[in-house]
């Protein structure tokens, strides 16, 4: 109750602060401002995405629309973003499925280990053409989230204070994960002790030894400094980190046709931009970690990955049990589409 009141008070304060001097996403004689919130810090992949979004929107609308960007923690927590979108404080948000899956469990499809293609070009091909993802977007729309696009931020890697090459090695390791029940189940299936905590608390959690490990793409491991307080960086390519560009359906429908077309074009171009950027950033930052520390970088062998693949089946069952008919159909479609991509090679 207290939390709810606090959140309402926060919403009201933000509404007053943010709407003074301009209107949210509405054309006035003064200016049109679109607000986009994301989950990362300066220089993160979502941040680069939002700055390119801003550049393109302002250029293609010839300055008629101005974009304001809010980083993690600048206006509430990322778990408030859905409320902010619905209330009009944000017009767009970048949200990873770990954040939205408590509202839309089907979004956890992205956190099924060893399900999606592993090669980056295949991932992009899959995201661009997938009917399963179209269906997933329809489910999100039922929850007032219009997904404009999904993009990839890199494979998730583990950093640990003990070498992990098998699910057996994960025994007793407290690994920080996001709160998504499927992510938690996935690490339970590997014998670890998943410990959800906010992103911004992970560094101190590792430093104070409240946790022994965490999971994130390499670019994040570098920019958040996790490598400084861990002994191993383990690359198993068991899953990837994906994010959605989301808008409020009413806001979107109120845009004129020309603006919608500009937006579609921008979102398409951004997908290419961010795929290239994430590759460059993840590669560069792995080198930066190598140079700046003596953390041991380990790549799991195909045989070791197979053992994890087998163990991950228990979590697949958890996913199946957490979604209804639509979710099961999405899973079936993804499996078929991924198999088709594999066979076409
Ligand atoms: O681990 C997390 O919670 C975060 N990781 C990344 C790479 N982006 C945002 C997210 O909240």
């Amino acid at each position: 109750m207290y939390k709810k009141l606090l959140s309402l008070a926060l919403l009201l304060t933000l509404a007053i602060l943010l709407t003074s001097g301009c209107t949210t996403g509405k054309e006035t004689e003064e200016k049109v401002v679109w607000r986009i919130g994301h989950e990362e810090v300066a220089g993160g992949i979502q941040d680069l995405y939002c700055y390119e979004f801003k550049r393109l929107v302002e250029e293609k609308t010839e300055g008629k629309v101005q974009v304001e960007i809010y980083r993690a923690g600048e206006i509430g927590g990322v778990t408030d973003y859905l409320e902010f979108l619905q209330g009009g404080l944000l017009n767009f948000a970048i949200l990873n499925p770990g954040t939205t899956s408590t509202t839309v469990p089907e979004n956890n499809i992205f956190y099924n280990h060893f399900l999606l293609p592993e090669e980056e070009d295949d991932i992009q091909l899959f995201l661009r053409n997938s009917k399963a993802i179209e269906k997933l977007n329809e489910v999100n729309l039922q929850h007032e989230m219009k997904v404009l696009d999904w993009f990839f931020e890199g494979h998730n890697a583990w950093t640990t204070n003990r070498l992990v090459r098998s699910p057996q090695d994960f025994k007793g390791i407290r690994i920080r994960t996001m709160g998504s029940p499927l992510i938690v189940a996935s690490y339970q299936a590997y014998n670890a002790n998943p410990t959800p905590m906010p992103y911004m608390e992970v560094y101190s959690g590792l430093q104070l030894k409240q946790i022994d490990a965490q999971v994130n793409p390499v670019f994040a491991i570098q920019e958040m400094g996790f490598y400084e307080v861990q002994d191993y960086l383990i690359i198993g390519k068991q899953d990837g980190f994906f994010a959605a560009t989301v808008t409020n359906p009413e806001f979107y429908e109120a845009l004129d046709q020309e603006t919608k077309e500009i937006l579609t074009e921008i979102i398409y171009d951004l997908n290419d931009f961010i795929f290239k950027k994430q590759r460059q950033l993840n590669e560069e930052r792995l080198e930066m970690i190598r140079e700046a520390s003596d953390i041991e970088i380990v790549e799991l062998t195909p045989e070791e990955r197979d053992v994890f693949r087998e163990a991950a089946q228990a979590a697949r069952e958890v996913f199946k049990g957490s979604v209804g008919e639509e979710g099961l159909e999405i899973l079936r479609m993804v499996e078929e589409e991924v198999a088709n991509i594999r066979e076409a090679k």
Side-chain angles (χ1 to χ4, degrees):
M1 180 65 185
Y2 174 73
K3 225 179 141 205
K4 198 80 206 157
L5 279 175
L6 204 68
S7 156
L8 271 174
L10 181 72
L11 264 172
L12 265 173
T13 318
L14 281 169
I16 294 163
L17 281 175
L18 292 176
T19 55
S20 53
C22 58
T23 49
T24 309
K26 282 192 189 135
E27 204 146 354
T28 69
E29 278 171 13
E30 297 158 44
K31 58 177 175 173
V32 176
V33 176
W34 287 356
R35 299 192 180 89
I36 184 164
H38 71 74
E39 306 171 315
E40 291 170 3
V41 297
I45 287 179
Q46 295 185 9
D47 197 49
L48 299 178
Y49 183 97
C50 288
Y51 272 90
E52 185 64 3
F53 175 77
K54 176 180 167 67
R55 191 185 71 74
L56 291 171
V57 168
E58 293 177 359
E59 181 189 293
K60 293 196 187 237
T61 63
E62 293 168 351
K64 278 187 228 125
V65 180
Q66 298 290 307
V67 176
E68 288 176 4
I69 299 169
Y70 295 90
R71 294 175 173 139
E74 287 182 351
I75 46 163
V78 295
T79 46
D80 300 318
Y81 280 8
L82 281 186
E83 224 169 305
F84 291 172
L85 270 181
Q86 283 153 9
L89 287 174
L90 287 176
N91 308 107
F92 302 88
I94 309 297
L95 294 165
N96 89 85
T99 308
T100 54
S101 62
T102 37
T103 311
V104 186
E106 290 80 359
N107 284 344
N108 267 326
I109 192 79
F110 288 102
Y111 286 117
N112 278 285
H113 290 192
F114 302 99
L115 172 66
L116 296 180
E118 277 158 34
E119 299 294 328
E120 293 184 4
D121 293 344
D122 293 344
I123 293 173
Q124 192 176 23
L125 191 72
F126 166 76
L127 289 179
R128 281 251 156 100
N129 302 315
S130 170
K131 296 281 170 225
I133 299 303
E134 268 177 33
K135 195 168 173 61
L136 181 66
N137 294 348
E138 285 163 21
V139 177
N140 278 275
L141 202 52
Q142 293 159 18
H143 294 271
E144 291 183 69
M145 282 185 273
K146 181 167 176 63
V147 178
L148 299 174
D149 204 14
W150 289 95
F151 61 91
F152 179 63
E153 297 193 35
H155 290 103
N156 281 316
W158 305 318
T159 60
T160 60
N161 59 10
R162 222 169 62 202
L163 181 59
V164 172
R165 301 201 80 119
S166 73
Q168 195 64 17
D169 297 334
F170 255 133
K171 270 205 174 123
I173 290 190
R174 294 162 301 174
I175 183 166
R176 179 272 171 177
T177 64
M178 287 186 286
S180 145
L182 183 68
I183 304 181
V184 169
S186 301
Y187 287 93
Q188 280 167 344
Y190 293 161
N191 304 311
N193 297 339
T195 312
M197 65 166 63
Y199 192 40
M200 295 304 176
E201 291 169 24
V202 179
Y203 186 90
S204 60
L206 291 169
Q207 204 173 30
L208 299 172
K209 309 222 178 300
Q210 292 163 335
I211 44 173
D212 311 299
Q214 68 79 45
V215 49
N216 256 304
V218 168
F219 85 88
I221 293 171
Q222 193 278 330
E223 78 189 2
M224 299 298 282
F226 302 150
Y227 69 96
E228 295 168 358
V229 282
Q230 294 269 260
D231 298 319
Y232 299 93
L233 193 163
I234 301 153
I235 299 169
K237 293 198 179 169
Q238 70 290 336
D239 67 341
F241 194 100
F242 292 85
T245 314
V246 180
T247 185
N248 175 313
E250 279 175 35
F251 162 81
Y252 180 82
E253 288 313 327
L255 297 175
D256 60 46
Q257 193 51 33
E258 192 193 344
T259 311
K260 279 185 189 159
E261 280 164 20
I262 290 177
L263 194 56
T264 306
E265 206 179 295
I266 289 174
I267 295 292
Y268 189 88
D269 291 349
L270 269 169
N271 194 284
D272 261 342
F273 165 84
I274 210 64
F275 253 85
K276 289 192 190 108
K277 255 297 178 244
Q278 70 74 28
R279 181 174 302 169
Q280 180 199 340
L281 226 64
N282 279 306
E283 283 173 9
E284 276 173 15
R285 292 191 182 182
L286 187 61
E287 285 319 304
M288 285 163 81
I289 293 174
R290 227 189 276 277
E291 277 166 27
S293 74
D294 53 11
I295 195 167
E296 195 172 320
I297 300 172
V298 177
E299 255 188 77
L300 298 187
T301 64
E303 294 73 25
E304 287 167 336
R305 295 183 69 233
D306 282 346
V307 181
F308 279 104
R309 191 190 311 274
E310 183 64 33
Q313 287 313 308
R316 187 71 49 91
E317 293 309 310
V318 173
F319 175 79
K320 289 182 187 168
S322 71
V323 294
E325 279 307 313
E326 275 177 316
L328 293 177
E329 177 63 4
I330 290 169
L331 175 61
R332 196 198 56 70
M333 289 165 77
V334 168
E335 284 170 338
E336 195 178 301
E337 288 169 357
V338 174
N340 288 343
I341 292 177
R342 209 176 295 128
E343 274 161 32
K345 289 183 113 183

